Amino acid sequence: YQMHEQFVILPAIISTKSPLPTVLAPDAFTPAQSPELYWGSYRSNLYFGMRTRSPKSPVVGLMWYEQPRHNSMMPRIRHWCDQGDNLGKYGWSEHDGRTFGIQDIEDDRIVVRTEFVKRPGGKHGGDWTARISAKPSARATPDAPSMHSFIIYLALGDIGADGSYVRPYSAHDKQLGGQFVDKVDGYTPELGKFVLRFANGKNVVARSFLAARVEPEPDLRKMKELLISGTKVFELKSEKPEQETVQHLGLMGYVPENAPPTDKPNILLVQVTFTDSTSLDVIFESGSVENRPGALTGGVFDKLLAERSKAFHDKFEKTFGLVAKGYPEFYQTMGQYALCNMVGSIGYFYGSNHVQGPYNSQPVPYGPHALFATVPSRPFFPRGFLWDEGFHHLLLRKFDSELSLEILGSWLDLMNVEGWIPREMILGAEAEHKVPAEFVVQRNSVANPPMFFYLLSRYLAEEKFADKHAAYLEKVYPRLKAWYGWLNRTQSGREPGTYRWRGRNATTDLELNPKTLPSGLDDYPRASHPTDEEYHLDLVCWMSVSSKVMAELSERVKDADHAAFEATAKKLSDIEHLDAKHWSEKTGRYCDFGMHTRHVKLVKPAPVMGPDGRPRPPPRPDMTREVLRAPTARLITDTFGYVSLFPLFLRLIPADSPKLGRILEQLTDADLLWTSFGLRSLARTSPLYSARNTEHDPPYWRGSVWMNMNFLALSSLKHYSTVTGPHQATAFKVYSELRGAVVANVAREFKRTGFLWEHYNDETGHGEGTHPFTGWTSLVLLMMSEQYD
Ligand code: 6A9
């Protein structure tokens, strides 16, 4: 049942794209094909930014800062989402992924609101307007009024040969003095001619700008530095009688000063400084729009935004029914936050992966290519992750399946000739900026759970899906087949019907238990001594589901290999096979198998005595692992946690199996996995529960409550509660209690902190890790609306 391979894959071609027809047409992202999705808030690494789905897009971004009170103070500039900014909360309260969005950002003394709405028209993706507004926060004190600046920038990529330009019109500000810019002409071959205008509201005390040319193009990672270097201190007339002037740190106009006319700017920053509250409309008008029904600002903007907001609310309720289910308003707000931040942080990425195979002497670029993807977390991981993406679409497909299918297509199109898809998509300078160098390189031996197959199994369970999307399935099929083939070929275990995640470090003595990053469960404990003999329970379960989906799809598209897929699916879903390899009757658990001992610990290096009798720093300063008893080849029965539950999660256990009963018993045991906040990742009794993997590596999947796995648990418990069998009633009871616990805790934490979190503490329920994390934690919305299929 291992698939027969007809081709020998040469190692040198790691960086060669798959020659299979792409799922998305080459021009899929162009405004001609997809005008509605051309512009978007696709720079979700920023608090607010706009760009198109083209590598040559001009980019628009927002920065702001409170004017420093003293000359010597550095302004605290807000630009990229950054946990260090310590914002009260931020995120989209409304966003439909296509036409509009509304976001509130709680800074120290102001609340910034970013709204945008798009209006179709012309041939280049239409018009849009972003309204950036501010009002004093609860922390602002009336006796010490603050002064803040908004800065909007427009940056062009490499200009010149293609004729693109931005041309700011500066004028003397009669009211406030100095020069300002409220209109820009621009052109790029893709966008044609466009105009960008700025219209500010009340309480503005200064306006300034900077137009500069940065060679060869502006570095989007250095915008704060550019801003600082382009500002100087001005004196403004004070409103207070006792004080003549106040200081204003503002942009100084053209840089370099007296630039020759040929020195065309490729970046423009426009600054508006205000007290109390104000608003700034950034109005983008596409040159090809004819008969514009009034500028998209002021009341026209309000009206269109209100229409979009209404349509969104209707669709949201129709899809998730939270009002109908009687959820209080706070829960509705959280549900909307969950969805809107998932669609509102969709990004467009362009660049090359850095990839390395066993035969490359050093990493080589793979690409450049474009990816349209959701992201797990704006401040920390604003980029695509393969298995996260699959979870995101359990939610996204309910709201906008067209968008979901397009994103999946975009991922599959990045497959290389071997059928490998990089696990983490770090494409382009902005994305790389967020990743330490040692993590950038992706290896073609390394997999990630094929969550897309699980997702497809849910899609296929949908009535009429396959008929309605027959053409789409035809297109994705060859790529799914190639991916499946790659997994089956490269991740198989020694023994037939077993699978092993590649990429564990078998030679290190620096980790308490060498990590298994490909599994997605990073530091979840596996065999203590990685060997080629080991095989992994979660992976065989993933392959079982994937095989079933391949069997179903291959029949639909009438592939000659259908029988082979059918046979593999049958073998891998044969519970006797799973039992034979992975079940421990003694402990009543499904387990990994490998060379293992639980008798390991991290020890501090002993001090070294110098010849003078004084202690010296040890040659290796890190803690190292000490193995107290030799490992043996065995089932890893001492570890119980998420991995043990995969046969349950993926519904592989027959409903009448006594094993199901034993698993449910252990799952609900508070000494093991059950907490009042959801299922913890690792049983409290497991040897590595809550253990650090190195001195610097705190526990991650060693106790915390994670939402993706709790979703799989709920989904499967719900399933078993509908299938007749001896455990049906128990399954329902556990389902209800688990659901109540998980949803209540995420809501409690949302109330307490204003955020959704990467994972939750199993002792306190507190949100931990990165935040906002609106990837799989957003599945809380599906739990509320009880949509698991
Ligand atoms: C490395 C550190 C500034 C880890 O959600 C994305 C992934 C999951 O796929 C995976 O299952 N997260 C989970 O175990 C986050 C991974 C982030 C890697 C970043 C560089 C940057 O520090």
Side-chain angles (χ1 to χ4, degrees):
Y1 51 87
Q2 303 279 343
M3 297 290 294
H4 174 65
E5 287 304 330
Q6 297 168 2
F7 304 101
V8 175
I9 304 291
L10 295 174
I13 46 192
I14 178 174
S15 58
T16 306
K17 281 194 140 193
S18 165
L20 294 167
T22 54
V23 179
L24 305 182
D27 62 350
F29 294 162
T30 61
Q33 286 308 316
S34 182
E36 195 179 55
L37 290 173
Y38 195 49
W39 280 101
S41 55
Y42 302 141
R43 306 181 68 209
S44 62
N45 51 325
L46 310 188
Y47 291 115
F48 181 72
M50 297 284 288
R51 65 165 300 147
T52 71
R53 294 204 293 176
S54 159
K56 296 192 171 158
S57 176
V59 297
V60 174
L62 164 70
M63 297 190 269
W64 77 88
Y65 59 88
E66 178 167 0
Q67 284 285 335
R69 284 133 199 265
H70 311 289
N71 221 340
S72 56
M73 267 167 69
M74 275 297 271
R76 291 181 304 170
I77 303 168
R78 316 304 195 190
H79 182 217
W80 288 43
C81 298
D82 184 347
Q83 273 172 212
D85 289 342
N86 275 320
L87 300 185
K89 53 179 143 177
Y90 65 93
W92 298 100
S93 55
E94 297 182 35
H95 197 304
D96 66 358
R98 290 179 181 267
T99 70
F100 87 108
I102 302 173
Q103 170 182 235
D104 283 321
I105 307 167
E106 287 183 7
D107 200 349
D108 200 15
R109 306 217 286 162
I110 50 170
V111 178
V112 175
R113 170 166 282 205
T114 67
E115 300 164 302
F116 75 93
V117 64
K118 296 194 261 171
R119 188 169 62 185
K123 298 192 179 73
H124 300 90
D127 294 346
W128 55 263
T129 293
R131 175 171 296 170
I132 315 301
S133 53
K135 59 177 194 207
S137 75
R139 267 168 291 173
T141 46
D143 40 318
S146 59
M147 205 158 82
H148 287 83
S149 292
F150 286 150
I151 292 96
I152 298 287
Y153 64 83
L154 167 71
L156 286 185
D158 180 23
I159 64 170
D162 67 357
S164 39
Y165 61 79
V166 285
R167 192 182 294 140
Y169 291 93
S170 62
H172 182 74
D173 196 329
K174 285 202 197 93
Q175 206 194 337
L176 300 169
Q179 294 284 113
F180 76 106
V181 164
D182 64 4
K183 183 177 177 221
V184 186
D185 274 349
Y187 169 83
T188 75
E190 285 175 344
L191 276 174
K193 286 190 175 171
F194 62 85
V195 174
L196 194 64
R197 292 190 294 120
F198 303 89
N200 61 266
K202 58 191 178 163
N203 299 327
V204 169
V205 294
R207 297 192 291 183
S208 48
F209 75 99
L210 181 81
R213 178 164 182 88
V214 183
E215 298 286 355
E217 56 185 291
D219 186 340
L220 299 172
R221 299 163 300 181
K222 301 263 167 66
M223 296 308 292
K224 282 188 183 179
E225 289 84 346
L226 179 72
L227 170 61
I228 292 291
S229 72
T231 52
K232 64 181 183 190
V233 175
F234 297 89
E235 302 285 322
L236 296 182
K237 265 236 289 294
S238 169
E239 286 166 357
K240 287 190 198 153
E242 73 274 12
Q243 206 183 347
E244 270 185 9
T245 59
V246 289
Q247 291 196 342
H248 175 243
L249 185 65
L251 290 164
M252 53 188 158
Y254 282 96
V255 170
E257 270 170 43
N258 309 316
T262 49
D263 217 356
K264 291 181 194 144
N266 54 5
I267 179 143
L268 171 76
L269 293 83
V270 167
Q271 179 175 22
V272 167
T273 302
F274 59 94
T275 55
D276 198 49
S277 59
T278 197
S279 71
L280 170 65
D281 282 5
V282 182
I283 307 152
F284 178 91
E285 295 183 337
S286 170
S288 63
V289 173
E290 284 166 27
N291 305 322
R292 183 167 280 113
L296 188 49
T297 181
V300 178
F301 177 90
D302 295 338
K303 187 161 171 284
L304 188 57
L305 190 73
E307 275 171 35
R308 297 281 161 81
S309 170
K310 167 87 174 58
F312 167 77
H313 280 98
D314 292 349
K315 185 175 175 188
F316 184 83
E317 177 57 19
K318 199 167 151 248
T319 313
F320 302 107
L322 298 189
V323 177
K325 284 180 182 289
Y327 277 100
E329 208 178 307
F330 178 75
Y331 280 78
Q332 296 170 36
T333 305
M334 179 172 79
Q336 269 187 40
Y337 182 90
L339 175 78
C340 295
N341 285 285
M342 183 173 287
V343 296
S345 42
I346 288 173
Y348 169 86
F349 307 92
Y350 187 83
S352 295
N353 302 90
H354 298 278
V355 299
Q356 176 147 29
Y359 307 101
N360 301 95
S361 59
Q362 53 188 348
V364 292
Y366 171 44
H369 35 219
L371 177 71
F372 192 50
T374 60
V375 310
S377 170
R378 290 167 64 189
F380 263 86
F381 333 122
R383 56 182 178 275
F385 289 82
L386 184 53
W387 87 309
D388 296 61
E389 191 75 66
F391 281 100
H392 300 172
H393 291 253
L394 294 171
L395 173 60
L396 184 51
R397 77 187 179 93
K398 298 289 175 192
F399 186 73
D400 192 333
S401 62
E402 295 300 322
L403 197 55
S404 157
L405 294 175
E406 178 165 334
I407 290 173
L408 296 179
S410 181
W411 272 92
L412 291 173
D413 285 345
L414 296 199
M415 174 178 290
N416 85 348
V417 67
E418 301 163 294
W420 171 65
I421 308 174
R423 174 167 66 97
E424 206 178 314
M425 287 294 174
I426 309 165
L427 304 177
E430 275 185 280
E432 276 175 32
H433 191 52
K434 280 274 173 181
V435 189
E438 69 265 32
F439 293 112
V440 170
V441 176
Q442 305 282 301
R443 288 169 190 277
N444 66 343
S445 51
V446 167
N448 205 207
M451 180 61 196
F452 285 7
F453 284 103
Y454 177 87
L455 176 71
L456 279 166
S457 76
R458 306 294 91 206
Y459 261 124
L460 290 167
E462 214 173 275
E463 211 184 325
K464 300 201 189 102
F465 173 83
D467 295 334
K468 197 169 149 213
H469 295 279
Y472 181 83
L473 292 176
E474 293 268 352
K475 273 192 225 152
V476 294
Y477 180 78
R479 285 178 175 264
L480 290 174
K481 184 178 178 184
W483 190 25
Y484 177 91
W486 177 83
L487 284 160
N488 206 32
R489 186 171 64 240
T490 64
Q491 309 293 309
S492 58
R494 272 264 168 91
E495 289 186 46
T498 66
Y499 291 89
R500 171 166 68 90
W501 296 112
R502 299 306 195 272
R504 297 192 72 202
N505 185 342
T507 54
T508 181
D509 64 353
L510 293 174
E511 294 175 66
L512 185 57
N513 184 281
K515 285 209 275 237
T516 316
L517 294 172
S519 74
L521 307 171
D522 301 16
D523 65 341
Y524 184 95
R526 309 281 182 159
S528 60
H529 290 68
T531 58
D532 291 358
E533 278 75 36
E534 75 189 52
Y535 49 85
H536 299 124
L537 175 61
D538 48 339
L539 186 50
V540 73
C541 295
W542 286 119
M543 292 310 291
S544 172
V545 169
S546 306
S547 308
K548 268 184 249 172
V549 170
M550 284 311 293
E552 180 170 348
L553 288 177
S554 58
E555 184 170 26
R556 284 202 163 266
V557 305
K558 306 199 169 53
D559 183 6
D561 283 334
H562 169 65
F565 286 120
E566 191 71 55
T568 311
K570 202 165 160 237
K571 172 84 191 176
L572 291 182
S573 58
D574 174 6
I575 195 68
E576 280 175 25
H577 168 70
L578 197 70
D579 290 351
K581 295 287 176 217
H582 291 279
W583 177 256
S584 151
E585 180 60 27
K586 193 166 155 224
T587 54
R589 297 170 179 175
Y590 286 103
C591 315
D592 280 347
F593 180 92
M595 285 296 279
H596 183 65
T597 171
R598 61 181 292 169
H599 302 282
V600 290
K601 64 173 189 193
L602 284 179
V603 290
K604 280 223 186 314
V608 179
M609 288 300 163
D612 54 1
R614 290 212 217 119
R616 295 278 155 88
R620 292 174 71 199
D622 289 309
M623 291 176 90
T624 51
R625 182 172 88 164
E626 200 168 294
V627 179
L628 304 163
R629 260 188 236 173
T632 53
R634 48 171 295 192
L635 287 171
I636 321 298
T637 49
D638 53 39
T639 295
F640 184 65
Y642 288 162
V643 166
S644 330
L645 300 181
F646 264 78
L648 172 82
F649 287 167
L650 301 184
R651 310 177 189 185
L652 305 179
I653 311 173
D656 59 2
S657 163
K659 297 189 174 76
L660 181 57
R662 289 183 75 182
I663 291 168
L664 290 179
E665 233 167 71
Q666 296 180 76
L667 178 156
T668 46
D669 185 340
D671 287 335
L672 301 175
L673 300 185
W674 190 264
T675 82
S676 22
F677 320 111
L679 297 177
R680 59 163 73 86
S681 36
L682 188 61
R684 232 192 326 220
T685 54
S686 291
L688 297 194
Y689 170 73
S690 229
R692 283 181 170 263
N693 204 36
T694 72
E695 215 169 336
H696 321 284
D697 226 351
Y700 200 30
W701 295 84
R702 293 184 178 175
S704 295
V705 177
W706 291 76
M707 293 300 279
N708 58 339
M709 294 293 123
N710 276 279
F711 179 88
L712 290 183
L714 286 171
S715 155
S716 138
L717 289 165
K718 185 79 195 287
H719 162 77
Y720 285 110
S721 77
T722 59
V723 183
T724 317
H727 313 294
Q728 190 177 3
T730 315
F732 185 72
K733 184 166 171 281
V734 178
Y735 164 76
S736 312
E737 283 172 12
L738 182 60
R739 172 171 171 268
V742 172
V743 172
N745 186 57
V746 172
R748 196 161 40 233
E749 284 299 286
F750 186 64
K751 185 157 235 163
R752 188 177 71 85
T753 65
F755 291 112
L756 296 180
W757 293 75
E758 188 183 14
H759 42 83
Y760 293 86
N761 185 289
D762 63 324
E763 298 278 339
T764 62
H766 283 186
E768 291 179 341
T770 153
H771 62 279
F773 185 98
T774 49
W776 53 48
T777 302
S778 290
L779 298 177
V780 69
L781 172 55
L782 290 182
M783 298 177 186
M784 286 197 276
S785 69
E786 300 190 83
Q787 299 188 67
Y788 303 102
D789 279 310

